[in-house]
Amino acid sequence: MAETVFHHALTILEDVCFGCTHCVKVCPTEALRVRDGKARLTANRCIDCGRCMQACPVNAIIIKQDDFSEIYKYKARVALVTSILIGQFPRHYPTRKIYSGIMEQGFSHVYEAEHGASLLIDEINQYVARHGAVKPVISSFCPAIVRLIQVRFPSLVENIMLLKAPLDLAAISFKKELMERGFAEDEIGIFYITPCAAKIAAIKSPVGEKNSPINGVINMDTLFNKVYSGFKKEHSSSCIVPEKEQLRAEEMAWSLTGGEAKYINGRCLSIDGIKNAIEFLEGIENGHISNFDFIEMRACDQSCAGGILTTSNRFLTVERLEERIVKYGQDKIEGKIFDNKTIDKHSSFIRENVKIDTIEPRSMLKLDENTEEALRKMERIRKIFSYLPGIDCGACGTPSCRSLAEDVVQGHAHTSDCIFIQTSLNVPSDQEIRAEKIWGKDRFRKLT
Amino acid sequence: MELEYSIEGGDFSKAGLASSEVKKILKQVNIKPEIIKRIAVAMYEAEVNVVAHAYQGKMLVNIDPSKVYIRFEDEGPGIENIDQAMQEGFSTASEAVRQMGFGAGMGLPNMKKNVDEFFVGSVVGKGTTVELTTYIK
Ligand SMILES: Nc1ncnc2c1ncn2[C@@H]1O[C@H](COP(=O)(O)OP(=O)(O)O)[C@@H](O)[C@H]1O
Ligand code: SF4
Ligand SMILES: [Mg+2]
């Protein structure tokens, strides 16, 4: 049986990677190893959280994106941006100007991805009320968290909320709107401007959905740089004034920590940061953390404001968005803004399409399908582990002594990959070959 | 496969570590998620009881292809009236322990509910033994 490989957006640039172990050490799913002097990623273990990219000292880990010129394949070129993008710009740039800057890059429409969150509040509340038996309901908003649960906490998969994120709702409703305005479906290209790798992975190989309504993905830092440098060299005063719909206050804050939980009835909590998430999920699994109705959970510190593709400081982004919310409130009182019409117009269509199918666990921890065989492997792992020094130095190219023992038993490594084992064995020629296999020939040339 | 962990009485910051280790091993040997969840709840409660109510103890785990057997042995005050301790909501936990989110009196009843075979035995002034057996086939 061929194994399905899940899309992951993080890519290692072979010619830049020099095979240190920074990424190997920080990966929350132990998806990375050093082999032949380069970091290698096991696709199905990767949850696209981006911690490796953050840790890489030479920027050898990047996020693949669609070529910018792809947008010209479409007549209606929609930039679907998260409110987080607006928060990247210094506060003296009004939203309208940022929108117009985006259009100057070649887009015909700009639309914010959090449109639809206001409808979702209702849907989530109903969902939580219906799912009293499996508590807490864990939000499906952050795709890195969904994948983390699938691969590391299979017993909590049933807690994941089977409702779409606002991003998908905004995409389907805006596509419908454009079709009603006369565009054919294949003339509409919706490009998501992503703050992270996880959203790309979720679009390219969606969990619990057949396919995504989004046609392409552009990294937020790429678009930010284009727009911002446009502002810097701008001379003329002419600018496109885009058609613009105002995000509601709750929608602007949706991607920030607390954005969801604030609006959900019952006992709720917001968790951000991958380590915090793991610790919390352990607690739920043990039953120690119980009696919660809804858990908002995001992989990044400060949620999407800390997305790996953001350019601004995450705390400044939060501050700017909060200011924008205050301004929205004032404008509303003064009658300067109109509410979001597209979403309201398509609300019944969105409600019909809000559900996602079941999400399957896909444990990456299991040593073997067969428990008897897995137990035998476990015995061997424990035996090998007992000979290893237990200092987790990483010189074998794996994150810890324990993971080396696992790799050996799974046939991916050799006990003598451990430098401590090497010195106690007296077979120098074999030592050299093993070490070269991990670190590459060049590394040793440097020493002689 | 046999595993052994020691548990320190009174150290709440480490309560649950042994259970987390065992839980990871149960995932590695591919035991069904719904069974792991039940075992996880029961062994965590038993581990916390050693931390909360005893001086020190150990957790012995035996996994074979048909069942997971876990025994907790502790040195501690023991339980005077086991029938009473088994009642939902009964607890002798101090206010300080309750402040930390423990001591709801649901531990023993929840252990019993979540495993296939449950045993608790105790000698007052000496210690307590808890046995949890779960069939995995
Ligand atoms: N290992 C133990 N040693 C001594 N007493 C115990 C032990 N386990 C349970 N008990 C007693 O049984 C009571 C009920 O236990 P449990 O149902 O787990 O509730 P809780 O731990 O919340 O008090 C405890 O309050 C304590 O008096
Ligand atoms: S918190 Fe937001 S930016 Fe970070 S991985 Fe999740 S969805 Fe992406
Ligand atoms: Mg207890």
Side-chain angles (χ1 to χ4, degrees):
Chain A
M1 195 180 73
E3 231 189 288
T4 325
V5 176
F6 291 83
H7 181 95
H8 63 85
L10 290 159
T11 306
I12 300 159
L13 298 173
E14 286 244 336
D15 45 342
V16 184
C17 174
F18 72 110
C20 64
T21 52
H22 288 71
C23 59
V24 174
K25 290 274 188 185
V26 297
C27 178
T29 57
E30 300 191 338
L32 287 147
R33 298 290 184 272
V34 177
R35 283 285 169 272
D36 299 320
K38 305 286 170 192
R40 312 275 173 202
L41 185 60
T42 305
N44 281 358
R45 282 193 175 201
C46 175
I47 60 167
D48 277 297
C49 68
R51 285 320 82 118
C52 53
M53 188 171 160
Q54 224 167 28
C56 180
V58 292
N59 299 325
I61 302 179
I62 59 146
I63 295 177
K64 269 186 292 194
Q65 61 181 325
D66 294 311
D67 197 72
F68 201 85
S69 63
E70 285 283 300
I71 68 168
Y72 294 105
K73 284 189 181 162
Y74 302 90
K75 203 165 149 195
R77 301 174 295 281
V78 183
L80 191 62
V81 308
T82 146
S83 68
I84 299 294
L85 175 67
I86 310 298
Q88 302 302 295
F89 291 86
R91 50 161 73 84
H92 57 271
Y93 291 104
T95 322
R96 209 166 266 277
K97 180 164 176 74
I98 299 166
Y99 268 49
S100 125
I102 295 169
M103 292 179 76
E104 267 157 31
Q105 300 306 316
F107 289 100
S108 60
H109 301 79
V110 184
Y111 202 64
E112 278 176 273
E114 285 85 3
H115 281 297
S118 51
L119 281 182
L120 207 51
I121 292 175
D122 234 24
E123 293 291 331
I124 298 177
N125 275 318
Q126 287 175 28
Y127 186 97
V128 172
R130 272 201 312 275
H131 288 76
V134 193
K135 273 191 180 173
V137 169
I138 303 172
S139 174
S140 57
F141 172 88
C142 173
I145 294 294
V146 170
R147 287 174 182 226
L148 174 70
I149 294 173
Q150 282 182 295
V151 305
R152 262 188 78 162
F153 297 93
S155 75
L156 298 179
V157 164
E158 59 177 3
N159 295 62
I160 303 172
M161 174 177 84
L162 297 175
L163 297 177
K164 287 177 187 158
L167 157 67
D168 296 285
L169 304 180
I172 57 172
S173 63
F174 206 56
K175 191 168 248 177
K176 189 157 192 288
E177 174 67 19
L178 288 174
M179 284 164 72
E180 283 173 14
R181 291 190 203 169
F183 290 97
E185 189 167 359
D186 58 5
E187 289 177 328
I188 306 167
I190 300 191
F191 289 81
Y192 180 57
I193 314 304
T194 186
C196 65
K199 291 279 190 196
I200 303 185
I203 289 165
K204 305 279 174 178
S205 82
V207 175
E209 273 177 284
K210 273 169 208 74
N211 39 46
S212 164
I214 292 152
N215 305 76
V217 186
I218 289 161
N219 292 350
M220 185 181 283
D221 54 353
T222 305
L223 187 69
F224 174 85
N225 290 339
K226 278 176 190 281
V227 174
Y228 200 54
S229 39
F231 288 168
K232 290 288 158 200
K233 51 180 175 268
E234 192 173 75
H235 305 296
S236 71
S237 55
S238 76
C239 86
I240 313 169
V241 178
E243 165 194 25
K244 182 179 167 312
E245 293 193 52
Q246 187 67 43
L247 273 189
R248 295 183 173 120
E250 67 270 23
E251 293 171 333
M252 280 180 229
W254 196 258
S255 303
L256 301 179
T257 300
E260 288 172 272
K262 210 184 300 171
Y263 299 98
I264 308 309
N265 303 331
R267 190 169 172 221
C268 307
L269 217 51
S270 319
I271 314 291
D272 62 4
I274 192 93
K275 275 202 179 136
N276 297 332
I278 291 170
E279 196 183 308
F280 203 84
L281 291 168
E282 285 276 348
I284 297 175
E285 208 173 36
N286 294 340
H288 173 46
I289 296 172
S290 58
N291 295 323
F292 277 94
D293 295 293
F294 177 79
I295 305 295
E296 167 195 307
M297 197 174 269
R298 280 92 181 265
C300 298
D301 293 332
Q302 296 296 315
S303 295
C304 304
I308 190 79
L309 291 169
T310 56
T311 40
S312 156
N313 177 283
R314 63 191 62 170
F315 299 101
L316 296 185
T317 303
V318 174
E319 186 194 32
R320 287 173 193 143
L321 287 176
E322 279 168 356
E323 279 171 8
R324 194 181 160 202
I325 292 164
V326 171
K327 178 156 190 320
Y328 169 87
Q330 286 161 354
D331 287 354
K332 196 161 184 169
I333 293 165
E334 290 163 24
K336 279 193 212 153
I337 48 170
F338 310 98
D339 259 347
N340 176 351
K341 286 181 264 139
T342 309
I343 284 290
D344 292 341
K345 189 169 143 199
H346 299 294
S347 65
S348 55
F349 171 74
I350 293 173
R351 284 185 204 280
E352 280 160 30
N353 287 286
V354 74
K355 290 201 178 62
I356 53 182
D357 298 340
T358 52
I359 297 177
E360 297 294 337
R362 46 183 191 88
S363 171
M364 285 296 135
L365 293 170
K366 63 183 172 213
L367 299 166
D368 203 283
E369 283 298 330
N370 178 289
T371 296
E372 227 171 310
E373 183 54 27
L375 274 167
R376 271 194 289 274
K377 287 183 176 176
M378 200 67 222
E379 292 278 18
R380 287 188 56 212
I381 289 169
R382 285 166 44 81
K383 180 107 200 228
I384 294 168
F385 180 69
S386 71
Y387 293 116
L388 298 174
I391 58 165
D392 301 338
C393 69
C396 59
T398 86
S400 65
C401 300
R402 166 99 171 229
S403 54
L404 175 65
E406 288 170 12
D407 285 6
V408 170
V409 169
Q410 296 293 42
H412 306 314
H414 201 281
T415 316
S416 61
D417 288 352
C418 170
I419 53 165
F420 290 85
I421 299 285
Q422 281 168 25
T423 49
S424 63
L425 296 172
N426 284 318
V427 273
S429 60
D430 184 50
Q431 276 177 34
E432 275 162 34
I433 296 164
R434 295 302 316 167
E436 273 179 19
K437 265 211 155 120
I438 301 166
W439 298 104
K441 275 201 171 64
D442 296 347
R443 175 91 18 134
F444 294 92
R445 216 167 280 151
K446 213 172 174 178
L447 304 174
T448 51
Chain B
M1 180 170 52
E2 297 200 0
L3 310 159
E4 185 179 328
Y5 302 87
S6 63
I7 306 165
E8 213 38 61
D11 191 351
F12 283 93
S13 68
K14 296 207 176 71
L17 282 190
S19 299
S20 284
E21 278 291 307
V22 174
K23 194 170 68 182
K24 185 174 177 211
I25 290 170
L26 296 177
K27 289 178 186 177
Q28 287 186 298
V29 300
N30 202 25
I31 289 174
K32 285 198 201 80
E34 55 274 24
I35 296 182
I36 294 183
K37 209 172 186 175
R38 280 170 35 213
I39 299 175
V41 169
M43 70 181 164
Y44 177 80
E45 288 291 352
E47 184 180 351
V48 168
N49 274 2
V50 176
V51 176
H53 307 298
Y55 315 132
Q56 65 172 38
K58 58 186 175 190
M59 174 182 183
L60 301 139
V61 184
N62 192 314
I63 310 169
D64 69 41
S66 66
K67 64 179 183 306
V68 177
Y69 167 83
I70 307 173
R71 189 165 78 247
F72 292 83
E73 291 171 2
D74 70 48
E75 288 164 31
I79 304 172
E80 247 166 67
N81 183 340
I82 290 183
D83 286 340
Q84 188 183 35
M86 287 302 297
Q87 281 168 18
E88 295 195 359
F90 176 82
S91 175
T92 59
S94 65
E95 189 49 38
V97 169
R98 271 173 232 247
Q99 288 295 329
M100 284 187 276
F102 302 99
M106 295 303 290
L108 288 168
N110 271 341
M111 282 179 232
K112 187 168 187 209
K113 219 185 294 173
N114 280 290
V115 298
D116 296 323
E117 284 166 19
F118 173 78
F119 168 83
V120 50
S122 190
V123 179
V124 175
K126 277 212 125 127
T128 303
T129 301
V130 168
E131 289 178 351
L132 312 167
T133 309
T134 309
Y135 294 96
I136 54 184
K137 273 247 164 82

